[in-house]
Amino acid sequence: MLAKMPDFSKARVLVIGDVMLDRYWSGKAARISPEAPVPVVHVKTIEDRVGGAGNVALNIAKLGGKVTLLAVVGDDVEGQTIKRLLEAEGVTCEFVVEKAVRSICKLRVMAQHQQLIRVDFEDLPLKFDEEALFTRLSEHLSEHKVLVLSDYGKGTLANTSKHIRAAKQAGLKVLVDPKGVDYYRYAEADLITPNLSELQAVVGACEDEQGLIEKGRELLGQHQIPSLLLTRGEAGMTLIQENEAHSLPAQAKDVFDVTGAGDTVIAVMALGVALDMPLAEAMYLANLAGGIVVGKLGTSTVSILELSRAMHGDRDSMYGIVTEDELAQLIARAKAHDERIIMTNGCFDLLHAGHVTYLQQAKALGDRLIVAVNSDASVKKLKGDSRPINGLQERMTVLAALACVDWVLAFEEETPERLYCRLLPDVIVKGGDYSSGQVAGGDCVIKAGGEVKILQFVDGQSTTAMINKARATE
């Protein structure tokens, strides 16, 4: 449906709702307690993640959107942790901090990637200065295009109708992840995103697809809401509007944990609405994102690279011979996925076994191997007028066909220094009797935190030897 990924950096989204800290204690359970028939977990790691409305905001930020989060936290360590985790990812936090409020924390004890128990720390409903929260909302409406209400029923959104009216008057689109059965509170929102069980708790059980759509439309009509995005688990998603309905099959290959999947869905929908995308196209991306996040353990987010790969398949849409600008974008995507970039350069005229062994050794140092190839003109300057034997395009085509090579590009200069300084791979690989200080571009890469590796060529293998041997047999 979409040819390329939208530029989410132009989206401005305001999120308000219940925020919480998701804490994970993980380890191994190898025995049963002698005190009670329960497993004993030897905790090895403790990890904190942000849940609820915080996870919605985090998903928006991870995809490049600009997001402000309004929420209520306590004057405690958990509240401080929530803010620290969010701000570290670029989320602007406008919290109402209440001394009498306990920040919500959900502790999950995990063993062998299975949840054994969840322990909730919360005092509900939240009691806070509602006017202070509304004042913060009013101050930020003009800076944003979309308001997301992330309702987990904890009390932050007790005054939902007031928030929706203010946002609509300011010209914002309003998206709601609802809770409970009182949908009058969400009247005049632009889009609601219940899951199937949440919707049926309001409209009753539906016998078939058509019944589901009809009851969804009745609900929309009752509350002056134009659109409903229904998440249906293994049945995918359905977008219900007054005169049309669209369904998409589920995209998840393996469902590992559905925690926070709804947060990811509404985050992607909000980004799409903020960019004025048709709702059907935004749903397409949200469906892909939901399929990704349920394959992860615990409260999780989706990255641009993961979403792009879901659109275009497991392999990048571009391999082999690329331009310099294309390569810069591919490197950025690879690094965002924590892939280690290796780069080397050379003439590679009359490719031989020594070249192949060298390139295989280079690829073994990381995840991606880039080969920069001297142009025909630069080879002549380096090797003389009789070289190259094979033209640039031929040399690049052979290199691109090697399994160990990901991307190949040409450069015109006598040395690749400018190229290395622009692209900044993690490792420059050079063959022969060099020191790292002699490698063109090495200083730039080392300064950026990379390194230079020197590999030894295979004895007795060289292009010159091949040419001399061929001439001797003439």
Side-chain angles (χ1 to χ4, degrees):
M1 182 177 291
L2 291 175
K4 64 178 182 178
M5 184 66 59
D7 182 5
F8 291 132
S9 67
K10 298 177 182 178
R12 301 290 185 272
V13 182
L14 184 61
V15 179
I16 183 171
D18 301 304
V19 69
M20 56 203 71
L21 185 66
D22 287 334
R23 180 163 284 161
Y24 295 86
W25 290 0
S26 302
K28 289 187 176 182
R31 63 190 180 94
I32 300 299
S33 171
E35 303 166 2
V38 294
V40 175
V41 180
H42 184 197
V43 175
K44 290 288 189 179
T45 62
I46 296 175
E47 182 182 6
D48 288 335
R49 303 182 189 180
V50 181
N55 191 39
V56 176
L58 196 58
N59 270 275
I60 293 170
K62 285 286 192 178
L63 289 169
K66 305 301 181 186
V67 57
T68 301
L69 174 63
L70 310 179
V72 179
V73 297
D75 187 13
D76 49 30
V77 173
E78 288 76 14
Q80 294 166 8
T81 300
I82 291 170
K83 186 175 183 181
R84 173 178 55 80
L85 292 173
L86 288 167
E87 290 183 339
E89 298 295 339
V91 177
T92 299
C93 296
E94 290 288 348
F95 289 172
V96 174
V97 181
E98 296 280 3
K99 292 186 180 296
V101 167
R102 182 180 195 173
S103 296
I104 300 170
C105 179
K106 298 179 182 295
L107 169 64
R108 296 169 175 87
V109 181
M110 315 290 295
Q112 285 85 19
H113 301 296
Q114 297 293 323
Q115 185 178 149
L116 299 184
I117 190 171
R118 193 182 90 180
V119 183
D120 290 0
F121 301 88
E122 56 186 17
D123 297 323
L124 301 178
L126 295 174
K127 297 179 181 180
F128 62 96
D129 186 345
E130 293 187 19
E131 195 58 38
L133 184 64
F134 183 74
T135 297
R136 284 171 169 76
L137 175 72
S138 301
E139 291 172 348
H140 288 281
L141 287 174
S142 62
E143 306 164 11
H144 300 83
K145 194 165 183 178
V146 172
L147 173 66
V148 174
L149 284 77
S150 178
D151 194 352
Y152 273 76
K154 306 300 182 182
T156 305
L157 294 176
N159 214 344
T160 302
S161 298
K162 185 177 180 180
H163 299 326
I164 293 175
R165 285 196 302 271
K168 299 293 286 183
Q169 289 171 3
L172 278 71
K173 296 289 187 180
V174 179
L175 281 63
V176 180
D177 189 357
K179 192 74 172 180
V181 297
D182 180 14
Y183 277 36
Y184 286 103
R185 302 168 55 236
Y186 309 127
E188 299 184 10
D190 294 282
L191 174 72
I192 53 175
T193 62
N195 61 37
L196 182 59
S197 62
E198 289 170 338
L199 180 64
Q200 290 187 332
V202 179
V203 303
C206 304
E207 295 182 359
D208 54 27
E209 183 88 3
Q210 188 57 38
L212 189 65
I213 293 172
E214 289 175 358
K215 288 190 175 183
R217 285 175 175 158
E218 289 176 8
L219 182 68
L220 294 177
Q222 290 170 4
H223 306 299
Q224 298 81 53
I225 301 171
S227 303
L228 184 156
L229 179 65
L230 180 64
T231 54
R232 305 171 63 184
E234 66 277 4
M237 292 183 180
T238 300
L239 178 64
I240 303 173
Q241 297 173 296
E242 182 180 358
N243 297 317
E244 56 184 335
H246 302 280
S247 293
L248 290 174
Q251 293 296 310
K253 295 178 180 177
D254 297 299
V255 177
F256 197 74
D257 191 340
V258 298
T259 305
D263 300 333
T264 300
V265 168
I266 198 169
V268 176
M269 291 300 297
L271 286 167
V273 171
L275 295 180
D276 296 320
M277 291 174 60
L279 287 182
E281 291 187 4
M283 177 179 70
Y284 166 72
L285 291 178
N287 193 41
L288 291 177
I292 295 167
V293 80
V294 297
K296 300 182 180 184
L297 176 63
T299 308
S300 302
T301 59
V302 174
S303 70
I304 279 286
L305 181 64
E306 289 172 321
L307 197 52
S308 179
R309 284 180 170 173
M311 287 176 62
H312 300 295
D314 291 335
R315 290 173 64 88
D316 290 301
S317 58
M318 191 177 299
Y319 265 71
I321 301 170
V322 296
T323 67
E324 186 175 327
D325 288 340
E326 289 169 342
L327 182 58
Q329 295 180 9
L330 290 166
I331 290 173
R333 290 182 189 177
K335 286 189 173 183
H337 202 57
D338 294 327
E339 292 179 336
R340 186 173 168 86
I341 309 299
I342 313 300
M343 189 167 175
T344 190
N345 65 279
C347 301
F348 296 99
D349 195 12
L350 296 182
L351 196 70
H352 52 68
H355 286 138
V356 175
T357 300
Y358 165 73
L359 292 172
Q360 289 172 334
Q361 291 173 347
K363 178 61 178 283
L365 297 173
D367 301 295
R368 302 281 192 171
L369 176 60
I370 302 164
V371 181
V373 184
N374 291 78
S375 68
D376 291 346
S378 65
V379 173
K380 287 184 183 299
K381 290 180 181 179
L382 293 170
K383 304 289 187 179
D385 291 339
S386 63
R387 302 282 297 276
I389 302 298
N390 291 313
L392 175 63
Q393 195 60 42
E394 294 169 299
R395 290 180 283 129
M396 294 175 70
T397 299
V398 172
L399 285 165
L402 295 177
C404 59
V405 175
D406 292 284
W407 300 304
V408 181
L409 80 161
F411 67 97
E412 296 289 340
E413 302 94 334
E414 290 187 38
T415 78
E417 182 173 6
R418 180 197 59 80
L419 196 61
Y420 282 132
C421 291
R422 179 191 178 188
L423 300 176
L424 296 177
D426 296 299
V427 182
I428 293 177
V429 173
K430 196 66 180 173
D433 297 325
Y434 287 89
S435 68
S436 59
Q438 295 174 315
V439 175
D443 290 345
C444 289
V445 170
I446 291 171
K447 186 176 180 180
E451 59 182 317
V452 175
K453 292 277 190 182
I454 308 299
L455 301 180
Q456 295 302 311
F457 285 135
V458 177
D459 290 339
Q461 297 285 343
S462 76
T463 300
T464 301
M466 291 176 69
I467 294 172
N468 291 337
K469 184 176 180 180
R471 286 174 176 169
T473 60
E474 290 178 353

